Amino acid sequence: MDLFKIKTAQRLERCKRQDLEGVLRLVADYLVQAGTESDPRLQHDSFVGRLRLLQPLAAVCHTWRRATLPLFYQTAACYIKELPRSNSASRDSSSALTKTSSVPDSTPHHPGYIQRTNLELITSGGHQKFVRRLAIDLVGDVSPDQPIALLAEMGFGRACWPKIKKLRVSHWHGFKPSKPTAYSAESLARFNAYLLHTLPKLTSVKYNSSDDRRFYSEFPLDGLLASTLSRLTEVKITSGLIPDMCSSAFLPRLVSLILRSPIHAGAAHLPRIFAETLEHLHIGFSSTESIWGRFYVADDAQTVHFKQLQSLVLEYSEAIDDKRSISRAQKENRLYSASDSLEPAKTSSLYSYSSDDSGRELCGGDGCRGAQVTCSRARPVFSRLQHLSIRKYPFSIARVLQHFPIDSIPHISIRDIRKGWTSLHAALVTEMTSLRVHISQQFESKREEQQYQMWVNRLFSVSSRLTSLQLQASTTLPLTLPDVTGLTRLVSLSFSMMVDLGTVPNLLSRLSHLRQLAMHVYPRVSSWSTRNLGVLEGGDYDLLAQLPPLSCSLQSLVAYIGQETDGGYARRLTVDDDSDDPLAIERELAWIMARIPSLAVFKTEEWTSRAVRACIDELMVYNSIQPYVKHLSSVELAVWKY
């Protein structure tokens, strides 16, 4: 029995230790990987720099070391940065800094450059079994020969790398006023050949260099891609050049393709044979015609059908090297502006066809007709699509949406648009279940901003299937939420714009399923006092106990005001404000929270968090209302960065 207890205790201790190591691995992996996929500002960060963040964690104790070191060695990283040629002092100081690091510095052997890598640590310690990725990060005027020289110097080609399946190449050339250097085709060929020879099990290629068009005449990794396409499962390319992936390319295993490259007029279509396996696709287009030309051909037998595709991102950009692009864009703009007045129910879609004189059915929409694409029968090509994102499209969004079964796509995001939102009629939005609309540019006039307010009013007024709605726009006036709402199914609602706080209580009382609300509160005035004259004035807190709850479903409330102070409760209202209360907005927030018994978390910036806490403490003093606001004592007040 005692032996059983001992073994049980040992197993429990082992589980606890394993759980701790698992948490540590997650934390360490976050430090290395966080934001590198989605945040462009972090795309230029080197892996070597991020790996340094793991070193203090590994020094804590043996358990921490065992959890973090495999992640430290998971990436074989090379970093080469050009130093200013005319500033020797800066070069020397940088060299001295890197010499003290446990990530070796090869600068003394290569004057004019900083070179850092963890390859020597990996090979000397026999840690090749941990390595899953090769990361090459270049900054400045660095030719393809230089990373090859560094890899060869560290013995990369002589070692065995049985588990490297991922390659990341990042080159930020910088902003050079002088004429850029053109790297030779021979050095580029050597670079591709070296990678192909040393990475025989490559399945993932990521390349990031948006300004490489000034330095190369062809996509820098064309040779590597051409030789590995048949086994690649992931390709992510951000480049000023288009990779050579012709329509006949064979990619039977490709699962994820992100291609952020400029669009040439008459560029080859996407490879068609990989469509059976693709799950994530991010591709550019320059008009509705150019989208559907990639997905359809005249012969229906060759039309691709994305049976596995779950996420599709269509990103608009003007076609380059096309003298007609400007005139075509102007023509499309006139066409789409005129079409904004059309009701979406009157537009055609992939699922409503019309027959031509020959008896064959045409795909619906101006995009298919413009490309003269025909189909023999109505068959959806995006049958499993879960996420649809349309970015930077300057014309009528309805012209793109009409090609999708929007009533069966759970998440639709429309980002970085200008005037295309005007075609999102309420009747069209009612068919969606999740929608994000991001208007990137400032409104050109007060009239346009008022049009947006009217659009929001119509959006909220009609009955809809929406369960999640995110609205983001740069407004100068606070957004007023309408009194009538048909969005009764909303579970999550987010406003990344200034909202009139006085209109929020009525909204909450009508959204019985809402669990999450995030908003940017207009900091100066609220219409609450004028809309509710005589309510809760003069400290009549007893009335608060008699008011009905605003919501019994809301669990998380985010209210960002964004007004910083010097630390005290300083007056932050301007002289033209009607209220004499410096905490009017915070007190109003506290009263709203008091009428939400289901509330569990309130997030805001630090100043507002302290001010709202003070207002809640004032409410809790009154014994007569304590039974009705007791939930406030357990609400978590968290600081949140907007």
Side-chain angles (χ1 to χ4, degrees):
M1 187 66 178
D2 292 338
L3 181 61
F4 175 77
K5 288 182 178 180
I6 293 174
K7 289 185 176 180
T8 301
Q10 289 175 343
R11 281 197 296 268
L12 288 174
E13 185 63 30
R14 188 162 55 250
C15 290
K16 291 179 181 179
R17 185 167 61 249
Q18 290 174 349
D19 290 342
L20 174 62
E21 291 180 11
V23 172
L24 288 173
R25 279 193 292 270
L26 288 175
V27 172
D29 192 46
Y30 176 81
L31 290 174
V32 177
Q33 303 288 349
T36 56
E37 299 297 322
S38 58
D39 193 340
R41 295 170 298 180
L42 300 177
Q43 298 269 327
H44 299 147
D45 287 1
S46 69
F47 262 101
V48 168
R50 286 175 169 264
L51 290 174
R52 290 187 179 199
L53 298 174
L54 298 183
Q55 295 177 13
L57 297 180
V60 173
C61 64
H62 178 70
T63 300
W64 286 50
R65 180 179 178 84
R66 185 168 54 191
T68 56
L69 282 186
L71 286 171
F72 182 86
Y73 297 123
Q74 193 174 57
T75 300
C78 298
Y79 172 80
I80 304 177
K81 179 181 180 180
E82 176 196 22
L83 289 173
R85 305 286 181 178
S86 59
N87 192 343
S88 59
S90 173
R91 185 186 310 144
D92 293 340
S93 62
S94 298
S95 301
L97 176 64
T98 55
K99 286 178 184 177
T100 61
S101 170
S102 60
V103 180
D105 170 36
S106 303
T107 303
H109 305 289
H110 303 276
Y113 296 93
I114 288 180
Q115 298 191 127
R116 302 191 187 105
T117 178
N118 64 340
L119 278 171
E120 190 173 355
L121 291 176
I122 293 174
T123 54
S124 63
H127 300 304
Q128 291 93 327
K129 62 181 179 181
F130 295 119
V131 182
R132 302 290 192 274
R133 177 195 297 109
L134 172 63
I136 301 174
D137 297 304
L138 313 175
V139 179
D141 184 9
V142 182
S143 75
D145 286 328
Q146 289 170 288
I148 296 178
L150 178 58
L151 289 169
E153 184 179 332
M154 294 293 111
F156 185 82
R158 297 189 301 272
C160 180
W161 308 95
K163 295 184 179 180
I164 291 187
K165 294 185 177 181
K166 297 182 179 182
L167 169 68
R168 161 188 150 153
V169 178
S170 175
H171 195 169
W172 187 66
H173 297 91
F175 304 98
K176 294 179 179 296
S178 59
K179 185 178 180 180
T181 303
Y183 303 126
S184 69
E186 291 77 11
S187 65
L188 201 56
R190 286 191 294 269
F191 184 60
N192 280 265
Y194 187 86
L195 294 176
L196 186 62
H197 173 71
T198 56
L199 303 175
K201 298 184 178 181
L202 197 63
T203 61
S204 172
V205 174
K206 296 183 180 181
Y207 177 86
N208 179 36
S209 181
S210 57
D211 54 353
D212 55 1
R213 189 165 179 252
R214 299 183 299 149
F215 297 85
Y216 300 102
S217 58
E218 61 184 32
F219 179 67
L221 294 183
D222 267 346
L224 179 67
L225 286 177
S227 301
T228 58
L229 283 178
S230 62
R231 66 172 184 265
L232 290 181
T233 61
E234 180 183 33
V235 176
K236 180 178 181 180
I237 295 173
T238 300
S239 172
L241 294 160
I242 299 177
D244 185 14
M245 297 174 65
C246 64
S247 59
S248 61
F250 183 61
L251 298 96
R253 302 180 183 178
L254 195 63
V255 173
S256 176
L257 172 62
I258 300 177
L259 187 57
R260 306 190 66 178
S261 297
I263 300 170
H264 288 286
H269 289 175
L270 284 173
R272 301 186 180 282
I273 200 167
F274 66 70
E276 295 285 333
T277 60
L278 260 187
E279 296 178 8
H280 308 282
L281 174 61
H282 182 150
I283 197 75
F285 68 104
S286 59
S287 70
T288 51
E289 287 81 5
S290 67
I291 302 174
W292 312 121
R294 293 175 183 268
F295 299 147
Y296 296 94
V297 291
D299 183 3
D300 182 60
Q302 298 183 36
T303 298
V304 297
H305 297 279
F306 293 85
K307 297 180 180 180
Q308 304 298 326
L309 194 67
Q310 300 177 23
S311 174
L312 174 62
V313 179
L314 301 174
E315 186 168 358
Y316 179 88
S317 63
E318 288 287 351
I320 62 173
D321 297 336
D322 187 355
K323 297 179 180 178
R324 298 172 298 172
S325 61
I326 298 178
S327 61
R328 183 174 65 247
Q330 292 172 344
K331 181 180 179 181
E332 285 185 333
N333 199 4
R334 290 194 299 269
L335 170 66
Y336 296 153
S337 297
S339 71
D340 283 350
S341 61
L342 297 175
E343 288 296 327
K346 298 179 182 178
T347 60
S348 54
S349 70
L350 282 177
Y351 305 95
S352 59
Y353 296 84
S354 58
S355 299
D356 61 9
D357 295 336
S358 64
R360 299 187 68 185
E361 293 177 323
L362 285 172
C363 288
D366 65 298
C368 289
R369 286 195 297 270
Q372 296 297 312
V373 179
T374 60
C375 293
S376 60
R377 58 191 177 275
R379 181 167 55 172
V381 295
F382 305 112
S383 57
R384 298 187 63 182
L385 198 60
Q386 301 292 305
H387 299 267
L388 170 64
S389 178
I390 304 168
R391 302 181 181 180
K392 301 180 182 179
Y393 193 58
F395 310 121
S396 169
I397 291 296
R399 292 288 176 178
V400 181
L401 290 178
Q402 67 179 338
H403 296 282
F404 295 91
I406 58 176
D407 58 337
S408 62
I409 301 176
H411 305 283
I412 297 177
S413 174
I414 301 169
R415 294 180 50 186
D416 302 318
I417 60 173
R418 287 177 280 184
K419 295 183 179 180
W421 57 271
T422 58
S423 67
L424 278 173
H425 299 281
L428 179 63
V429 174
T430 57
E431 300 299 319
M432 304 178 186
T433 57
S434 176
L435 175 64
R436 176 187 179 186
V437 181
H438 173 207
I439 301 175
S440 55
Q441 295 183 338
Q442 292 271 357
F443 292 109
E444 296 179 358
S445 63
K446 292 290 184 182
R447 181 177 178 274
E448 189 173 298
E449 189 168 335
Q450 291 170 353
Q451 288 178 336
Y452 179 73
Q453 172 69 73
M454 291 188 290
W455 177 78
V456 172
N457 290 346
R458 289 194 296 269
L459 182 66
F460 272 82
S461 298
V462 298
S463 179
S464 173
R465 300 172 62 239
L466 280 175
T467 59
S468 176
L469 177 62
Q470 299 180 52
L471 299 178
Q472 183 173 351
S474 299
T475 58
T476 58
L477 300 174
L479 186 74
T480 301
L481 304 179
D483 291 335
V484 179
T485 179
L487 304 183
T488 55
R489 300 185 184 184
L490 275 181
V491 175
S492 176
L493 178 60
S494 174
F495 298 102
S496 295
M497 65 193 81
M498 292 183 293
V499 174
D500 177 7
L501 187 60
T503 61
V504 170
N506 178 73
L507 182 75
L508 288 175
S509 65
R510 296 175 181 272
L511 301 178
S512 58
H513 299 288
L514 194 66
R515 292 201 297 265
Q516 297 176 338
L517 173 62
M519 57 186 173
H520 189 165
V521 178
Y522 187 63
R524 294 174 57 188
V525 292
S526 166
S527 64
W528 190 89
S529 58
T530 56
R531 296 161 65 95
N532 301 275
L533 189 62
V535 180
L536 293 179
E537 289 184 353
D540 187 11
Y541 296 117
D542 291 337
L543 184 60
L544 185 61
Q546 303 176 31
L547 296 176
L550 294 175
S551 174
C552 292
S553 62
L554 192 69
Q555 300 174 3
S556 174
L557 174 62
V558 178
Y560 181 81
I561 298 180
Q563 294 290 314
E564 300 295 336
T565 68
D566 295 332
Y569 295 146
R571 177 180 177 85
R572 56 186 176 83
L573 301 177
T574 57
V575 294
D576 59 342
D577 287 326
D578 297 329
S579 174
D580 292 328
D581 186 357
L583 298 180
I585 298 295
E586 287 81 0
R587 183 165 286 105
E588 192 171 329
L589 275 171
W591 288 339
I592 290 176
M593 294 167 59
R595 297 177 62 188
I596 308 177
S598 57
L599 191 65
V601 178
F602 174 71
K603 297 181 181 181
T604 186
E605 76 273 20
E606 185 175 358
W607 154 252
T608 304
S609 179
R610 295 199 306 268
V612 169
R613 170 56 68 188
C615 295
I616 289 176
D617 291 341
E618 290 180 5
L619 290 177
M620 299 299 289
V621 170
Y622 295 89
N623 295 329
S624 59
I625 65 171
Q626 280 187 6
Y628 303 94
V629 298
K630 59 182 180 181
H631 64 279
L632 291 178
S633 59
S634 59
V635 173
E636 177 188 354
L637 269 67
V639 176
W640 181 71
K641 298 296 183 182
Y642 182 72

